[in-house]
Amino acid sequence: MVSLTLKNTFLTLIILAGVVLPQIVVGQNCGCATGYCCSQAGYCGQDAAYCGTGCQSGPCTGSNGVSVSDIVTQAFFDGIINQAPAGCVGTSFYTRSAFLNALSSFSAFGTIGTTDDSKREIAAFFAHATHETGYFCNIDETSPSSNYCNATYTQYPCAPNKSYYGRGPLQLSWNYNYGPAGDFIGFDGLANPETVATDSLVSFKAALWFWMQNVHSVMTTGQGFGATIRSINGAVECDGKRPDLVTARVNLYTNYCSQFGVAPGDNLSC
Ligand SMILES: *[C@@H]1O[C@H](CO)[C@@H](O)[C@H](O)[C@H]1NC(C)=O
Ligand SMILES: *[C@@H]1O[C@H](CO)[C@@H](O)[C@H](O)[C@H]1NC(C)=O
């Protein structure tokens, strides 16, 4: 997700709010009271605008009773991480239990639509995480080309000497993601971006935060796996730019769908 395009985020906000809002809404720390939903844009409320598509946590509608832990079995998780080369830093960091514990902040993940929809969303998440980390080998981006500070986002000012390169299962990048992710999760993402690489619970939460903000609604509205690639790294990979990388992601996704016994759906590429 190094090259996250913000256009999708803007578009989503326009649709949800009916007006063009500043990006700060992305970073609202929900922390909603019991019984309230955290909307895709990060606000607390109780009607469909909050609890419907994109709902991040709380009693999101469409919650289908699927237990993600029944699908992401230890055998499934091990089947991925055991393919990481020997000596990887990630293999003693990423754990199934950290993933499952992180889910407590994101009740809508993998629980929208039919059971098959749930399986497809979970397969998509793990396909991208596998691809981004090399079978959970890497925690930090291997050769960051910059410190991923975009000073345009004055509400998320970069701290001195801090780098917002990719970290964690979906390689969270950029100050404008670390800031709001930290607000939501409960750590200072701008001053301490390293937390995403040192605390496995925070690391999975950061990945799930990004997913719920940018990818979840793509899956729950049936746009297909190809659209999730576009949300995560479309500017670099889609439209014929890196068909090799697109194919690698699609192959992981179809493999995981097969393991879950679900059809992968249409529109796999981008
Ligand atoms: C920073 O963000 C702005 C607004 O999205 C964008 O126009 C600009 O290209 C970005 N700069 C860099 C260096 O990414
Ligand atoms: C940032 O790094 C430079 C070069 O290593 C150092 O001189 C400076 O004191 C650092 N600033 C902070 C705030 O740590």
Side-chain angles (χ1 to χ4, degrees), residues 76-180:
F76 173 76
F77 191 87
D78 289 347
I80 300 172
I81 203 165
N82 287 347
Q83 293 183 63
C88 291
V89 287
T91 49
S92 56
F93 177 74
Y94 299 112
T95 61
R96 173 178 177 261
S97 65
F99 165 74
L100 294 179
N101 289 337
L103 286 176
S104 64
S105 303
F106 305 93
S107 59
F109 175 85
T111 61
I112 303 290
T114 65
T115 301
D116 282 355
D117 291 333
S118 291
K119 289 177 176 177
R120 278 187 281 268
E121 181 177 12
I122 296 164
F125 177 87
F126 276 93
H128 289 300
T130 302
H131 182 83
E132 294 280 334
T133 59
Y135 295 87
F136 291 115
C137 178
N138 300 314
I139 304 171
D140 295 285
E141 184 177 345
T142 42
S143 311
S145 55
S146 82
N147 64 353
Y148 296 101
C149 174
N150 187 324
T152 307
Y153 297 88
T154 51
Q155 69 271 42
Y156 301 117
C158 305
N161 293 354
K162 292 295 178 179
S163 185
Y164 305 99
Y165 60 69
R167 295 181 179 88
L170 290 182
Q171 296 284 281
L172 188 77
S173 309
W174 293 103
N175 56 308
Y176 54 74
N177 283 320
Y178 276 89

Side-chain angles (χ1 to χ4, degrees), residues 187-222:
F187 75 103
D188 190 337
L190 294 169
N192 303 306
E194 303 84 5
T195 309
V196 177
T198 57
D199 181 323
S200 60
L201 178 61
V202 169
S203 198
F204 271 110
K205 283 186 175 180
L208 286 163
W209 175 85
F210 180 83
W211 185 269
M212 297 310 289
Q213 288 287 333
N214 299 287
V215 196
H216 173 71
S217 64
V218 170
M219 287 304 287
T220 57
T221 54

